[in-house]
Amino acid sequence: MTVSLDIHANNASPPVANQNSQAGKLSEPGNQKYRRHALRRSSSALMRQERVSCCGQKTIGGFASLHHHQGQSHFGSVETCGSVWMCPVCAAKITQGRLTELDELLDAHRRISGRAYMATLTIPHHRFQSCAELKQAVANAWRKVKTGKGWQTTRDCNGWIGDIRALEITHGNNGWHPHLHILIFFDQKATDGQMLEFGEWLFETWAKSVERNGFGQCSRNAFRYDRVNDSKGAAEYVGKWGVAMEMTKAHVKRSKNGRTPWQILTDYNETGDERDAALFQEYAIAFKGARQLTWSRAFKRKNLSKEPSIRKRYLEGEELSDQALSEELTMPETQTAFITRDLFKTISGKAMTADVLSAQERGGLNEVLTLLSDRGVLWKVTEVPGLLEGTFVPMLSPRTAGECPPEPFPKPT
């Protein structure tokens, strides 16, 4: 059992395949937008019955809006799936929201001189066991750890005040490899001895629970219990959890213990190997609806009133859903244009959503229109009232081959 936190993040989104005209862009390290959009299209093709199949591809109503703010562009009024497991575009937004929460929580915990440890728990596994079976086994084992008088006594005697857990899974030579990462919070009165005693009890209880469920003996070598370094932010710890935050670095780094689901999807993108397609589908179905992070609930200590949950202890307001975090904040004052449903359908059908956003970031609407023309998309522009009251913005719509070409779009002043 170690007492210093060793950061070794699993990366959630490796290089994307060379696809059509984006081949060069996808191979460049800085093009996260292209990689995420390309992986989303692959996930959409594999999971046609799920919401990811429409994510970023369809407008809500008759128009999409185009926005630009602080150097970044995005679409408004476009469907989002809110899946942190199936969609790399939504996953990036959701994870950033969770990271912000964790940073705030850890900062508040440090201000009261609280302590924290990171525990890593896993179970023995074999090639023939399914992703869903192992995911359920981990959930059952953890539930039994936090049940009964043994848990209550250990919790109350060692200064535990809450925990946050995340489930990570990779796939390697021995099949699916699930593991839990638990961020454990102790109060300021907890001693080093108490916190280490809690860690010993945690492993022993976990190992007994796993063995009783018929999954064999846990290896102590696979157990990690690391003191969280007070000088570092939550992002590093969540990065270690491998829950999508590190997806943009995966073009240079891969998991040491097999492939993450995003790596599996990327390999399918590159090779079209149906075995990778089947693995990603198995994972996506098993994890559908699961929480990315699970915060410990409130409880009653002996002879004390009900304690607040670890989240409510430090953070104000209700926790936002994955769907809410995945939706872009659409501010009327940042709008640059409308795009009709038909034109947006053409753009998404040609896999150009990332291109359009990048074009606007490079050179504004003129660059977008040049891009459309270069890709053979016929367009026309009219002026209509914008989302912000009293303003007018361009409306981009499709032009038929028989219509007159549009006048040159005025350059920005």
Side-chain angles (χ1 to χ4, degrees):
M1 185 167 63
T2 61
V3 294
S4 62
L5 184 60
D6 176 25
I7 301 299
H8 55 287
N10 285 336
N11 299 288
S13 174
V16 175
N18 293 336
Q19 291 187 357
N20 304 327
S21 61
Q22 298 186 12
K25 297 170 186 173
L26 295 176
S27 64
E28 296 174 10
N31 283 318
Q32 304 104 329
K33 193 188 304 292
Y34 290 98
R35 286 195 294 275
R36 289 171 180 161
H37 282 236
L39 284 181
R40 179 171 62 182
R41 289 192 297 275
S42 292
S43 180
S44 173
L46 293 176
M47 309 303 298
R48 294 187 180 277
Q49 303 304 313
E50 305 297 335
R51 292 188 62 189
V52 68
S53 64
C54 297
C55 187
Q57 308 302 307
K58 295 183 178 181
T59 63
I60 300 173
F63 311 97
S65 53
L66 188 57
H67 297 259
H68 187 75
H69 182 60
Q70 296 181 345
Q72 298 292 316
S73 295
H74 69 271
F75 297 112
S77 298
V78 172
E79 289 193 23
T80 56
C81 67
S83 174
V84 74
W85 309 115
M86 301 183 199
C87 176
V89 177
C90 288
K93 301 172 189 175
I94 294 165
T95 299
Q96 187 56 52
R98 302 300 179 209
L99 287 174
T100 300
E101 286 186 312
L102 283 175
D103 269 328
E104 293 175 357
L105 190 149
L106 276 171
D107 285 344
H109 187 60
R110 292 190 195 101
R111 286 196 294 272
I112 66 163
S113 300
R115 310 279 192 86
Y117 269 76
M118 173 75 82
T120 300
L121 301 167
T122 187
I123 64 174
H125 59 283
H126 306 285
R127 178 182 290 275
F128 60 84
Q129 291 170 310
S130 71
C131 183
E133 176 187 6
L134 291 169
K135 174 177 174 289
Q136 188 60 50
V138 168
N140 291 342
W142 179 248
R143 184 169 57 252
K144 290 186 177 181
V145 166
K146 298 184 76 172
T147 301
K149 291 184 177 179
W151 160 248
Q152 294 174 16
T153 300
T154 303
R155 176 193 74 188
D156 295 347
C157 292
N158 293 290
W160 178 98
I161 59 172
D163 59 64
I164 307 170
R165 76 180 186 272
L167 173 63
E168 179 186 358
I169 196 160
T170 56
H171 188 274
N173 292 333
N174 291 324
W176 293 106
H177 175 54
H179 35 292
L180 280 179
H181 296 295
I182 318 292
L183 190 55
I184 305 166
F185 296 85
F186 295 94
D187 64 32
Q188 59 268 54
K189 296 180 182 179
T191 66
D192 290 340
Q194 287 175 318
M195 291 184 288
L196 292 176
E197 181 182 339
F198 183 94
E200 289 292 341
W201 175 89
L202 179 62
F203 174 75
E204 294 295 337
T205 307
W206 170 264
K208 289 177 184 177
S209 178
V210 169
E211 189 169 7
R212 287 171 182 168
N213 283 337
F215 283 84
Q217 294 183 341
C218 293
S219 169
R220 181 170 284 275
N221 292 333
F223 174 62
R224 296 296 303 270
Y225 189 64
D226 302 317
R227 174 80 173 268
V228 171
N229 187 330
D230 293 345
S231 67
K232 300 190 177 185
E236 292 192 73
Y237 310 125
V238 176
K240 180 177 178 178
W241 296 3
V243 291
M245 176 258 190
E246 286 290 300
M247 68 191 313
T248 61
K249 293 183 181 177
H251 61 283
V252 295
K253 222 172 179 184
R254 286 181 177 253
S255 167
K256 297 178 182 179
N257 300 315
R259 296 182 296 167
T260 67
W262 299 128
Q263 290 169 345
I264 292 170
L265 184 61
T266 293
D267 289 343
Y268 169 71
N269 235 8
E270 294 176 346
T271 66
D273 191 326
E274 291 300 324
R275 291 171 296 182
D276 287 334
L279 285 176
F280 185 81
Q281 289 170 325
E282 180 186 0
Y283 145 81
I285 292 170
F287 275 73
K288 178 182 177 181
R291 293 176 63 87
Q292 183 186 30
L293 300 181
T294 303
W295 311 73
S296 61
R297 297 179 179 179
F299 68 99
K300 290 183 179 179
R301 290 189 189 273
K302 187 176 181 180
N303 299 325
L304 293 177
S305 60
K306 188 174 183 181
E307 294 279 344
S309 67
I310 189 63
R311 189 183 187 283
K312 289 188 175 181
R313 177 185 289 266
Y314 293 119
L315 302 180
E316 297 181 356
E318 296 299 319
E319 181 183 6
L320 294 176
S321 67
D322 285 356
Q323 182 64 46
L325 289 173
S326 70
E327 294 171 351
E328 294 281 2
L329 178 61
T330 300
M331 298 182 290
E333 59 270 26
T334 65
Q335 185 189 16
T336 61
F338 278 117
I339 302 175
T340 65
R341 176 192 295 166
D342 289 342
L343 183 59
F344 189 83
K345 183 178 180 180
T346 300
I347 290 170
S348 62
K350 288 180 173 286
M352 291 173 57
T353 51
D355 296 272
V356 168
L357 296 176
S358 295
Q360 180 167 253
E361 290 167 0
R362 289 193 310 271
L365 201 54
N366 282 299
E367 191 80 10
V368 172
L369 297 177
T370 299
L371 168 71
L372 295 178
S373 297
D374 290 346
R375 298 288 181 84
V377 178
L378 300 178
W379 53 269
K380 61 183 178 182
V381 175
T382 54
E383 194 173 57
V384 298
L387 295 175
L388 184 63
E389 186 177 355
T391 64
F392 288 84
V393 298
M395 166 80 79
L396 280 58
S397 57
R399 174 172 57 87
T400 63
E403 289 185 273
C404 295
E407 294 292 328
F409 194 71
K411 293 184 178 181
T413 57

